[in-house]
């Protein structure tokens, strides 16, 4: 558990560092970085460090129970009305159901939204919800993309799984329309795909991550035109 926590902590810090590497050169200023321990149940000691009059927004990165606690307490303390939150992972899947209306209006960045308006995603959402009787989230899209890549590799070698090099070569060239949008690989084997700015809304009484804007062809090491 100690090693796992340390590893997750490193992931969080790399995410924050990646944000800063774009945000600051574009003229933004990071006023303070606040790191909470895993499993924190009371965010009050961290919230008091935030002065709504001196910042424009808070960028957060939480998953699991930490995301649920943060979103609920952010709303309960009245901060949701005072400071915009931009996050990663805090309103996905079962988390959104647990957070309830406290999540309404929160903005996040992710590669998938069930509200992404494309024929492929619409058909995927309809088929998935009819078959499993549950809402679609990014895990379902991950499963789709993974299975699709396996099939591309297997078809290329006609099922000969001993031909690992052949499978790899085919997967490297994979280029297809996934529920998340066009998926293909960059030279460093990291996905290139659309990324969405999302906002929690209600659709037919259900909380959803609505799509505000779509940024195409985003891969590892992406930079905005101003910084290239």
């Amino acid at each position: 558990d100690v090693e796992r926590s340390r590893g997750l902590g490193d992931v969080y810090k790399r995410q924050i560092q990646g944000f800063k590497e774009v945000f600051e050169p574009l003229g933004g200023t990071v006023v303070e970085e606040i790191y909470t321990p895993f499993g924190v149940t009371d965010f009050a000691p961290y919230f008091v460090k935030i002065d709504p009059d001196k910042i424009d927004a808070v960028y957060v990165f939480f998953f699991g129970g930490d995301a649920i606690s943060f979103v609920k307490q952010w709303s309960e303390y009245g901060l949701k009305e005072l400071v915009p939150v931009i996050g990663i992972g805090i309103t996905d899947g079962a988390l959104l159901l647990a957070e309830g209306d406290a999540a309404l209006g929160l903005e996040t960045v992710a590669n998938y939204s069930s509200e992404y308006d494309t024929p492929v995603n619409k058909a995927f959402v309809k088929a998935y919800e009819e078959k499993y009787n549950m809402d679609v989230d990014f895990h379902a899209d991950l499963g789709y993309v993974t299975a699709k890549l396996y099939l591309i590799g297997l078809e290329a070698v006609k099922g000969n799984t001993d031909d690992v090099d052949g499978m790899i070569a085919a997967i490297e060239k994979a280029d297809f329309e996934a529920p998340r949008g066009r998926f293909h690989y960059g030279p460093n084997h990291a996905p290139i795909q659309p990324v969405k700015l999302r906002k929690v809304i209600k659709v037919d009484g259900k909380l959803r991550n609505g799509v505000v804007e779509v940024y195409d062809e985003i891969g590892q090491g992406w930079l905005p035109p101003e910084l290239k």
Side-chain angles (χ1 to χ4, degrees):
D1 285 342
V2 172
E3 288 299 326
R4 179 175 179 274
S5 296
R6 185 181 296 121
L8 286 172
D10 290 341
V11 170
Y12 288 172
K13 289 179 180 179
R14 286 197 297 270
Q15 287 279 354
I16 299 299
Q17 186 60 37
F19 172 81
K20 289 171 61 180
E21 287 176 0
V22 174
F23 180 67
E24 292 179 329
L26 288 176
T29 300
V30 176
V31 176
E32 186 174 2
E33 295 180 37
I34 302 172
Y35 294 96
T36 62
F38 292 109
V40 61
T41 56
D42 183 8
F43 280 90
Y46 307 100
F47 287 167
V48 296
K49 299 179 180 181
I50 299 172
D51 186 343
D53 294 327
K54 294 183 178 179
I55 59 174
D56 297 307
V58 172
Y59 174 85
V60 300
F61 182 40
F62 291 114
F63 279 102
D66 292 355
I68 297 170
S69 296
F70 172 83
V71 168
K72 285 187 171 182
Q73 291 177 40
W74 187 257
S75 178
E76 290 167 359
Y77 279 87
L79 288 167
K80 191 171 84 166
E81 309 304 323
L82 300 176
V83 185
V85 164
I86 300 172
I88 295 179
I90 61 172
T91 62
D92 274 306
L95 301 180
L96 187 55
L97 294 175
E99 290 157 358
D101 287 354
L104 275 171
L106 294 185
E107 294 186 346
T108 55
V109 176
N111 58 28
Y112 183 73
S113 166
S114 62
E115 302 305 296
Y116 188 39
D117 191 9
T118 66
V120 170
N121 190 49
K122 281 183 165 181
F124 177 71
V125 170
K126 183 175 185 295
Y128 186 94
E129 292 184 346
E130 286 179 354
K131 182 174 180 61
Y132 298 108
N133 193 31
M134 60 187 297
D135 295 336
V136 177
D137 64 13
F138 78 101
H139 293 100
D141 170 75
L142 284 173
Y144 177 98
V145 169
T146 301
K148 180 73 172 180
L149 291 169
Y150 275 129
L151 286 172
I152 288 171
L154 288 169
E155 288 171 357
V157 299
K158 296 181 172 53
N160 178 17
T161 54
D162 291 330
D163 187 0
V164 175
D165 290 340
M167 293 180 67
I168 291 174
I171 290 172
E172 285 178 328
K173 296 175 184 176
D175 191 337
F176 58 92
E177 191 71 17
R180 71 182 72 174
R182 183 191 175 199
F183 181 99
H184 59 113
Y185 281 115
N188 59 356
H189 290 178
I192 297 177
Q193 59 200 337
V195 170
K196 292 86 179 167
L197 173 62
R198 314 177 307 176
K199 186 174 184 177
V200 178
I201 57 175
K202 269 192 176 178
V203 179
D204 297 329
K206 289 186 176 182
L207 293 168
R208 303 286 193 187
N209 286 294
V211 177
V212 177
E213 196 162 351
V214 179
Y215 307 91
D216 291 317
E217 295 293 287
I218 306 299
Q220 189 177 43
W222 173 89
L223 290 172
E226 302 93 316
L227 299 182
K228 289 183 179 178

